Every structure is written in C-alpha cells, then in structure tokens.
C-alpha cells in the first residue's frame, strides 16, 4: 500500500494520487548470476528503487516475450534480457586484447542507441520467457538466505512489459503490490505467514538489513548502489526525472510497503457504483461522464485503516488468534457486550475495553484493533453521520436522502465525491446525492497554484476591502471555474466587475431614486409604485419590452437554477442589467424625468422600480450584500414587504415573456451598432445629423416595429432624419449562404464537404425560398435555419460612391446610411453640439439632476444672427433635451448667482459662451409699486425680502397658495398679496415663456 513515512500510516489509493511531483530518482541495472549456467550468464534486472534490492526474493519475466542471451564485445560478459530491450544495455569501449573485441570499435551514445551500424553485443541464443521460469540465481545480499529453498528463482507474470527496463523485474514482495501478488501465487512466500518487513514505520531499515540498519531508505540509495558496484554486479547507473507521489499531509515521498490494513471491498461494488453514477446529474456533465466514470471503472479496494492515535477508532474487536472478529455498531452495544460504561469514543477511553469471546471464557477476550478510520471514511459518511442516523432522525433521513446537491472542487472527484458514492452504495444501494456541482481550481495569475510561501496572489481581504465581497463572488462565479476549468485569478478582473456591472446597476437605481425625489421637489405627491397589473398594461413600447424581458429573465434563471447550471445564469443576468441601463434607462430619460407628463413619469418610474426589485431578488444569491442595500431602500415605498431581501421568495414568472418585442428591440440594438460602425468608418460623429437610413430585412413584423413604435429611438440615438424599412431582400443586397460548420460538422461527418459545397452554390432564389420555408434538403440531409448563415452583402445603387452611401450587415439585417451632406441638417447638428457642451458643463460643475439651474447662451461671432436663427429653429429640441429653455445672456438678472461659465471656439464654425446660474426671480417692478400705491421704498423692500427666501421653499408656498402668497412680515409695511406671474416670476425661463405667450 502507499505508505507515508512522515505520518507513519498507510494511505488510500486516491490519497496517494493527490500529490505528485516531478523529482529525480536513480535508475540502475543489476546482474543476477544464473546458478549452474555453463557460460556464466547473468539475468539483468532494472530498478528505480535501489533501496528495495536488499529485500529481493525473486525475478519476474513475461512468459510470452522473446529473451536473448548476449555476449558483450567489449568486456566478454554474458547477459540475459528481453530482445526488445537489448538496446538499453550499456556499451563500453573495448580494451585491446579483449576476446571478440576491437580497439577501434565505435560505441553507442548514452541513450543506448548505436551511432553506426556496428553491433556491440553478439547474440548467443534466443528463447521464450516461459523457458526461464524456475531457474535459480545468486542473490545480491544474504539478508534473506533463510528463504533460499523457495526464493531466488524466476517466475512469470503479464505485468512485465516490453516498453521499459530490461524485460526482467526484480521482486521485493514487502514493497510492491504486483511483487507481493506474484510471490504469493508462486509460493515464494505464504499469505499472512512469512513476509518479513525489513523497513520500520519511520521508513528506516531494521536490524535484519545489517549493513544499512537505521538508515532512511531513500537516503540509503547511493550507498546501496555503491555496495552493488563493489560486488561487481552493477551494469548501468544513471538518473531520470519522473512524476512521483508525495504524502498530501507531510509532503514526504511515499513508499509502497506491505501493511496489514482493513479494506472496503469496493471491487465487489463496481457494477453498482457505475449504475448509481448514472442516476446522478453532474454540472458540468463531462466530469461525471469522463473523469469520475473512468475512476469508478478502475476502482480498487479501499484501505480505511490508519496507524494513528488521534482519529475515530475502528469499532472492531478481535481475538488474539484472529478467529473472532466483532464489529460493534453502537455505544449501547459496546456497553452491553463489555459491561462497561462508555462516555468517550477516543482511543485512550476505549482501548482498554475488552469483549468476552463468543466461543467461551477459555478462548480469552477480544481487544480492539489499534487502527483508526481514514478521515475520508468520515467525510463520506456525512449524509447520515451529521444527523446521527440511524439512532436519530430516521424519518428525516428517509425523506431527504439522497441529498439534492453537493458542491466541491474538481480535486474531490477521487476524494469526497468518491467516498460519498462508495459508502452510500454499500449501505443503501443508492447514490448519496442527486445533483453535483463541480468547480475548477483557482490559480495564481501566472498559472501556478496559489502559494502562501511564494505570495503569488493578492490578499483576499485586500481585494474585498478595495472592491467588495460581492464583486469578488461575481468575478469567480462568472468565470471558467464554475465549468470545472482552472481560473487564473486577476485582481483587475474584480475591478472589471465593479466597473461593468455594479456601477451601471447602481446608476440605474440612483436614477430611479433621484427622479422619484424630483416629484416631491416639484411639489407633487410622493412616489408610490403602481401595482404590477397597471404597469404590465402600459402602452409604452419600452415598458412592454422591459416587462417582457424581466419575465424571460425569471423564467430562464428558474429553469437553469433548477438544473444547477450557474455558468449560464450569471451571463444572462449581466446581459439583462446591461440592457436595463443602456436601453431602458437611457432611452427613457425624458419620461423618467417627467418631461412627458406626471402620469407617464409615474408609470415609467413604477416600471423601473419593479424591474430593479425583481432584478435584486434574482441576483440576491449571487450578490447578497449589494442587493440587500438596494432592497432596504426600495422597500420603503412598498407596504408589507419583507424586512430583508433574503427573506423574500425567489421571483415567480408573472405574465408572458419572450414576446416579439424582445426580438425587435434586440434587432434595433443591432441596427444601432451597425449604423455606429458606418459612422466611425466615415468619421461622421453622432452629433452630425444624417438624412436617411434604410433597414433591409425579410421579417415584415420587425420592419413594422422599426418603422413604427421603435422609430423614435432609432432616430434619436443615431441622429438621422428618417428611417426607411425595406423588405425587398434583393433591392440593396446580394445574398450568400454559408454552412454553419460548428453546428453541422459533428452531425454530417464525411458528408460535410458535399453539403457545404451545395450550400455555397445556392442561388438567390434558393436562399429566399429557404428563408421562407425554413428548411432545405441537401444530399439527403434536412437543414434548418439554424444550420445555414445567410449573409447579406451590400449592392450599392448606380451612380453612388462609398463616400455617399455605405452599409453594414451582421448576416441577419442590412443597414444602409445616406452619408451625403445636407445643409438643412446643419441647424440640428449645431443644436446637438450646444446641448452636449451644456451637459458636460453641468457634470463638470458637479450638479445633481435635481438641481434647478438656468442656462444662458451668448454668441461670440461677428454676426450673432446666424447662431440665433439656428437655435430658434431648434428651440423645441433644446428644451426637450435640457428640460428648460436656452436663454439669451442679455436676459440674466443682476442678482443671479452664476455657477459656471465657459467659452467654446469653432464649434460647427461658431464661437459662443455658456453660463449656468441658479434659478433667479424676475420682478414686474411696476406691478409691485402699484401694490404699495406708488411707494417705491416699500416695493424695494419686498423684492429684497423675496430674494432672501430659499427658492424651493418659496416655490412650495406659491404652489400651496394656488399661485399667491401673502407677505405681512416686513416691519412697518402693510401686508400685500403677491401673485405669481403678475408681480414676480420664479425663473427667467418662466418670464421668457410668459412673454412669448403674449
């Protein structure tokens, strides 16, 4: 068995396989002279463990291999080896006068392969390996001369192969599984009787090996080789690097050593283990179907005893003569059989307890065996041991076993997963689990194992402190590690999650909160989300889309989580958050800011609220802390909600998802991306308006959506004046069919080339017919739409150049843009430039969206009328974009508080200045003087008083007074009623709007 000299205990085969290292070891060839051979020939055996040579008891050959007796032309020595391994014998330069030698003989290199055609050995005879069986040889050492009658002879077995060594294996039954088996089968030793163990528990030679007594075996290799050389028995020595097992606990090299042990007879369970494995689902499935299945097919009996003091004692009591063996099943049984009270099951509390022999008092007492359980036996017992079954919780166990799922790393395939399966199969004839999630290993950034000694990874607490636990969780969950593949951990990857996921997600949440608060700032009723039934029936296309997408999300997550597929869920969730922020919030800003009316604003905010709430609930298992923070605030406007998001049930599917609108919006985003690509190729920034965009697609429903309810978003996002849908696939495009090799390759095999050639040769009419019908038969193979890619190439109209019209396609849809300059669009372009500069200045000034400011424009051109006319023509667009009018700088009051001011040069061939100020009151001085019957002093005092008031509070008072307030607090002045719009305007924008209305 694999034996750890560091821990002084045997290991199971799966423990021995868990820690291999590349290490150098000696390799030597040794002669064993054949007794009574007339020519003085010797067997040549090869070994990489010289320390086992003192324990040699036999040599093993393969009966079916051909062996040769050869004579060295250099030294005259005669050897017996397998014919196929003759090239491994060393070659020395022959000495002058050596029989059959030649002074100028060419030699082989160190690899043993001849540098020329000269043969270094003369073949004297050939014979099958079976003819060597029974021949005696002279042992290397005489430590085991008492075995001479049965040992030191040749035996045969198929484990000897022709691909390594000399074709002759030296057998030390105490240190090799095959060695032990072969020596037992050939009566060299008797099972359980005369096996001598010349190495102690520390891995040191015992007194029997007199020349090396007390030496650690691996350290004695060099001295043993030297002793063999001094005896004249060393043929060849060297070193080679190979993979060698080390103890997973002590990190010391393992040796194979005969050790008495207790086993679970796994080989008897093999068929049932394989059958039970088929009843389980693994994620990913290849670990079950390949790695674990192969391991079970080659499963060996499991050694479950360990030679340690601390551990769970084996409950086995045995008589001195080994006849009586009793396995005790409970503390109660032990007390009953022994007559002693048992309060502690550790060794020092029970080792003294004896049991009377069932054969009678004359046969003495049974004592507990000294060994303890392999700790993996305890791990594998988890499903029943943790609830103290069968002594308690029988009904609970019966109702819940096998467990619904277990989750651990890939390295547990031969560890915990294996022991769970073995014990549950042996005890209950069923697997221990229904589902299993297997993750890969997290490695350092350089691809090596994370090492405390090398410090080749960032501190986990440092990563959490910098980016948060949720970002770390999401980075790992959305990585190859959940597909049982290795992950090279990068701290920058965690930052990427913060930047690409959490910041956009939080911004969508913040946008909701800011605009919900805006309602109160504007003096309206506080935000209370509308019920789901109301928002689901919203007439707005983006509301319909995001509601449908949310239901699709819930359906998908439930479906995939039920199948334990984490690696599909997280990418879908992240894409949903991206769509929420970059489509719904971005395209819906006007509604959410209340510029389309209070009712529409509340519908949009309620939709966003419910979507964010559902998203938080769906993401709570993956980002528990972030979602809890958002939920704690969202629940404040919802009566009867749970105190914590982790008390909430996972969302249920409500209503319908996967509607046509989802596909149309996805295609709309494709169109927008393609159009942006065209603009970039021709250096046409989005602020430059273009005349026309043509969308070519065969789906009439999609074109109806693009030309109808989605049109306004396409026009605004791409800054084009018109969108022209076209369902004539050949008007602007030439069609080409391409087979999808990734789909068809496995299915068609050798037929792939014939089918591929036929697909590529499809005519325009064939392709159109295929798209309409949905399938086509080629070479007796039925191909569907998913099997063939239809590529739409742009067919430019006659007389048009690439600079005038260009197109882009993703194979599904073709987008064409008219790039010709149109002077009528210059005004719109200039207005966009101005709005862009204003928004950037607001951001630079750190203004919140709810901050009320007024924007003033001042032309710095010689002819100010040019910009004035352009802005006047675009007044509606500017007001919609800013939420307020763009005012002439000449209108700014002297008492206005300026927040920011910046000058811009050569923007669309114009120079101008933008000024931002706090909202300022505008007084009708004549009307105020009339309030006080012509007393200008009183009128001035009223203006000073109103200017001293907080603007938002003053606005609220006018709202509560239906546009009128009474001012009676000015000392020594009469009370007056101030009317909004008659005596004062709250902003210059209000004053400007009132003058325009006249």
């Amino acid at each position: 068995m694999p034996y750890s000299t560091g821990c002084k205990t045997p290991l199971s085969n799966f423990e021995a396989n868990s820690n291999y290292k590349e290490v150098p070891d000696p390799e030597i060839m040794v002669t064993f002279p054949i007794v009574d051979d007339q020519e003085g020939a010797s067997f040549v055996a090869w070994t990489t463990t010289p320390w086992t040579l003192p324990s040699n008891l036999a040599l093993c050959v393969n009966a079916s291999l051909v062996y040769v007796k050869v004579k060295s032309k250099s030294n005259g020595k005669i050897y017996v080896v397998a014919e196929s391994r003759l090239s491994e014998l060393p070659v020395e330069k022959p000495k002058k006068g050596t029989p059959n030698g030649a002074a100028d003989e060419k030699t082989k290199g160190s690899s043993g392969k001849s540098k020329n055609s000269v043969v270094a050995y003369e073949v004297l005879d050939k014979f099958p390996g079976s003819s060597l069986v029974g021949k005696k040889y002279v042992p290397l050492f005489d430590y085991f001369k008492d075995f001479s009658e049965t040992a030191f002879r040749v035996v045969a077995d198929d484990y000897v192969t022709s691909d390594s060594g000399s074709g002759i294996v030296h057998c030390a039954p105490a240190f090799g599984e095959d060695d032990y088996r072969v020596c037992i089968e050939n009566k060299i030793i008797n099972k359980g009787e005369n096996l001598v163990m010349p190495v102690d528990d520390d891995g040191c030679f015992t007194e029997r090996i007199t020349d090396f007594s007390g030496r650690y075996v691996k350290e004695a290799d060099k001295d043993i080789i030297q002793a063999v050389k001094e005896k004249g028995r060393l043929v060849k020595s060297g070193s080679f690097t190979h993979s060698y097992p080390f103890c997973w606990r002590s990190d010391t090299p393992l040796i194979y050593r005969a050790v008495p042990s207790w086993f679970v007879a796994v080989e008897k369970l093999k068929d049932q283990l394989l059958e039970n494995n088929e009843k389980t689902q693994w994620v990913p499935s290849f670990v079950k179907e390949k790695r674990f299945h192969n391991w079970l097919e080659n499963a060996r009996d499991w050694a479950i005893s360990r030679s340690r003091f601390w551990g769970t004692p084996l409950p086995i009591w045995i008589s001195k003569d080994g006849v009586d063996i009793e396995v005790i099943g409970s503390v109660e049984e032990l007390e009953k059989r022994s007559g002693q009270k048992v309060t502690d099951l550790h060794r020092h509390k029970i080792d003294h307890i004896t049991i009377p022999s069932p054969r009678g008092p004359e046969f003495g007492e049974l004592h507990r065996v000294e060994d303890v359980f392999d700790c993996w036996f305890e791990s594998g017992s988890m499903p029943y041991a943790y609830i103290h079954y069968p002594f308690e919780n029988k009904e609970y166990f019966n109702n819940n076993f096998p467990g619904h799922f277990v989750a651990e790393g890939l390295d547990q395939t031969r560890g915990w997963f294996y022991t769970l399966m073995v014990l549950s199969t042996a005890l209950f004839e069923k697997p221990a689990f229904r589902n299993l999630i297997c993750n890969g290993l997290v490695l350092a950034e350089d691809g090596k194992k994370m090492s405390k000694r090398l410090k080749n990874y960032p501190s986990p607490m440092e990563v959490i402190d910098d980016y948060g636990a949720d970002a770390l969780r999401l980075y790992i969950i959305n990585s190859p590690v959940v597909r049982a593949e290795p992950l090279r951990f990068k701290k920058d990857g965690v930052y990427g999650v913060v930047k690409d996921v959490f910041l956009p997600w939080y911004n969508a949440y913040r946008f909701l909160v800011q605009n919900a608060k805006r309602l109160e700032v504007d003096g309206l009723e506080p935000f209370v989300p509308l019920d789901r039934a109301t928002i689901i029936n919203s007439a707005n296309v983006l509301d319909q889309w995001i509601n449908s997408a949310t239901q699709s999300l819930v359906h998908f997550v439930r479906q995939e989580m039920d199948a334990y597929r984490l690696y599909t869920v997280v990418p879908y969730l992240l894409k949903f958050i991206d769509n929420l922020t970059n489509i719904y919030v971005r395209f819906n800003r006007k509604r959410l800011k209340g510029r389309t009316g209070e009712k529409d604003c509340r519908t949009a905010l309620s939709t966003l609220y419910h979507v964010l709430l559902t998203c938080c609930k769906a993401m709570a298992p993956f980002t528990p802390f972030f979602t809890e923070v958002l939920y704690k605030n969202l629940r404040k406007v919802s009566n009867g909600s749970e105190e914590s998001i982790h008390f909430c049930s996972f969302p249920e599917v409500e209503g319908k998802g996967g509607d046509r609108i989802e596909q149309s919006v996805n295609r709309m985003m494709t169109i927008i991306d393609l159009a942006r690509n065209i603009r970039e190729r021709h250096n046409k920034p989005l602020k430059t308006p273009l005349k026309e965009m043509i969308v070519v697609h065969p789906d009439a429903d999609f074109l109806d959506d693009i030309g109808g309810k989605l049109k306004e978003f396409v026009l605004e996002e791409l800054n084009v004046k018109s969108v022209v849908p076209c369902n004539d696939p050949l008007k602007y495009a030439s069609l080409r069919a391409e087979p999808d090799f990734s789909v068809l390759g496995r299915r068609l095999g050798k037929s792939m080339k014939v089918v591929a050639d036929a697909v590529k040769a499809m005519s325009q009419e064939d392709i159109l017919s295929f798209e309409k019908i949905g399938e086509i038969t080629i070479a007796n193979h039925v191909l569907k739409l998913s099997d063939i890619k239809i590529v739409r190439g742009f067919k430019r109209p006659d007389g048009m150049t690439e600079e005038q019209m260009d197109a882009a396609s993703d194979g599904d849809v073709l987008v064409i843009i008219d790039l010709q300059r149109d002077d009528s669009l210059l005004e719109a372009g200039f207005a966009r430039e101005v709005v862009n500069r204003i928004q950037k200045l607001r951001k630079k000034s750190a203004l919140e969206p709810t901050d009320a400011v007024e924007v003033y424009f001042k032309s710095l051109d010689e002819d100010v009328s040019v910009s004035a006319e352009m802005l006047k023509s675009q007044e509606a667009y500017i007001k919609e974009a800013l939420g307020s009018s763009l005012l002439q700088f000449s209108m700014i009051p002297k008492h206005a508080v300026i927040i920011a001011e910046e000058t811009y040069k050569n923007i669309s061939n114009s120079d101008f200045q933008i000024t931002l100020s706090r909202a300022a009151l505008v007084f009708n001085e004549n009307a105020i003087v009339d309030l006080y019957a012509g007393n200008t002093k009183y009128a001035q005092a009223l203006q000073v008083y109103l200017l001293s008031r907080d603007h938002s509070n003053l606005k609220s008072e006018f709202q509560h007074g239906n546009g009128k307030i009474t001012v009676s607090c000015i000392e020594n002045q009469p009370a007056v009623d101030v009317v909004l719009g008659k005596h004062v305007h709250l902003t210059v924008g209000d004053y400007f709007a009132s003058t325009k209305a006249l």
Side-chain angles (χ1 to χ4, degrees), residues 66 118 155 168 176 232 296 299 328 387 389 434 465 636 766-767 784 805 850-851 855 861 885 925 970 991:
V66 175
V118 178
V155 296
I168 300 175
L296 291 180
I328 304 301
I387 56 171
Y389 176 88
R434 297 178 174 93
D465 289 341
K636 292 177 182 177
D766 291 338
I767 295 172
K784 303 288 186 181
M805 180 177 282
T850 52
D851 291 336
V855 186
D861 298 327
S885 298
E925 295 183 357
I970 303 176
Y991 172 71

Side-chain angles (χ1 to χ4, degrees), residues 505 512 532 535 542-543 545-551 553 576 580 584 604-618 634:
W505 187 1
L512 167 69
R532 282 196 57 81
I535 62 172
L542 287 183
D543 289 351
W545 167 73
I546 197 64
N547 284 326
S548 176
T550 303
Q551 294 312 307
L553 167 75
F576 177 83
L580 174 65
Y584 186 77
L605 289 173
S606 297
T607 301
L608 180 57
Y609 173 87
H610 284 291
V611 170
L612 281 171
L613 188 62
T614 302
C615 185
C616 284
K617 290 178 180 179
L634 292 173

Side-chain angles (χ1 to χ4, degrees), residues 242-262:
H242 66 145
S243 186
Y244 192 85
F246 280 68
C247 175
W248 65 283
R249 285 185 180 275
S250 65
D251 209 32
T252 54
L254 300 181
I255 64 173
Y256 278 80
R257 180 173 181 257
V259 181
S261 188
W262 295 89

Side-chain angles (χ1 to χ4, degrees), residues 74 253 464 590 729 767 904 935 950:
S74 60
I464 291 172
K590 295 174 195 170
I767 295 172
Y904 302 94
N935 190 326
D950 177 80

Side-chain angles (χ1 to χ4, degrees), residues 735-738 767 770-771 788-792 810-812:
L735 306 183
R736 187 176 81 254
E738 292 280 352
I767 295 172
F770 167 65
E771 283 191 318
I788 298 177
K789 297 176 183 176
I790 306 302
V791 181
R792 286 170 166 77
D810 72 338
D812 178 51

Side-chain angles (χ1 to χ4, degrees), residues 26-196:
E27 59 170 340
I28 63 173
M29 284 188 175
V30 181
T31 62
F32 293 86
I34 303 172
V35 174
D36 299 330
D37 187 88
Q38 295 179 355
E39 297 169 291
S42 298
F43 295 118
V44 177
W46 173 82
T47 183
T48 60
T49 53
W51 62 270
T52 62
L53 287 172
S55 306
N56 171 264
L57 292 182
L59 295 176
C60 189
V61 299
N62 189 314
S64 60
L65 291 181
V66 175
Y67 288 77
V68 292
K69 179 184 285 188
V70 298
K71 184 176 184 179
S72 170
K73 292 184 178 182
S74 60
N75 58 26
K77 292 182 179 179
I78 300 174
Y79 303 129
V80 174
V81 294
E83 182 181 31
S84 59
R85 306 304 298 167
L86 178 59
S87 62
E88 295 301 313
L89 288 177
V91 178
E92 300 175 4
K93 288 184 178 180
K95 299 176 182 179
K96 289 183 179 181
T98 302
N100 301 316
D104 61 348
E105 191 79 70
K106 297 287 180 76
T107 66
K108 295 184 184 178
S110 59
S111 66
K113 293 183 180 178
S114 180
K115 294 182 179 178
N116 55 29
S117 59
V118 178
V119 178
Y121 288 89
E122 178 187 354
V123 177
L124 304 178
D125 197 6
K126 287 187 183 183
F127 35 80
S130 56
S131 67
L132 298 175
V133 175
K135 288 187 178 292
K136 299 283 284 186
Y137 63 87
V138 179
L140 264 174
F141 302 97
D142 59 2
Y143 306 129
F144 288 87
K145 60 185 178 182
D146 50 321
F147 282 76
S148 295
E149 288 187 15
T150 58
F152 311 124
R153 56 187 170 90
V154 177
V155 296
D157 194 84
D158 289 341
Y159 88 90
V160 179
T161 61
S162 61
D163 57 3
S164 63
S166 65
I168 300 175
V169 176
H170 112 82
C171 298
F175 304 112
E177 188 175 354
D178 286 317
D179 301 33
Y180 179 77
R181 174 181 57 79
V182 166
C183 288
I184 291 288
E185 289 174 356
N186 289 276
K187 308 298 183 183
I188 291 172
I189 59 173
N190 297 318
K191 189 172 184 178
E193 293 183 12
N194 58 343
L195 176 65
V196 177

Side-chain angles (χ1 to χ4, degrees), residues 685-752:
L686 280 172
K687 291 187 288 293
T688 302
L690 296 174
K691 185 178 180 181
E692 184 178 81
M693 180 176 75
I694 302 168
V695 178
V696 182
H697 197 276
D699 187 344
D701 289 340
F702 166 60
L703 293 179
D704 286 345
D705 290 341
I706 289 297
K709 50 190 175 184
L710 296 176
K711 183 177 180 179
E712 63 173 298
F713 306 113
V714 177
L715 294 176
E716 182 176 351
E717 187 66 17
L718 294 175
N719 195 12
V720 293
K721 288 303 174 185
S722 67
V723 174
V724 179
C726 175
N727 65 355
D728 182 351
L730 300 180
K731 184 175 181 180
Y732 295 100
S734 58
L735 306 183
R736 187 176 81 254
E738 292 280 352
D740 191 335
F741 289 95
S742 62
V743 175
L744 294 174
R746 295 178 185 174
R747 200 167 88 209
L748 301 185
K750 295 179 180 179
S751 303
M752 184 68 223

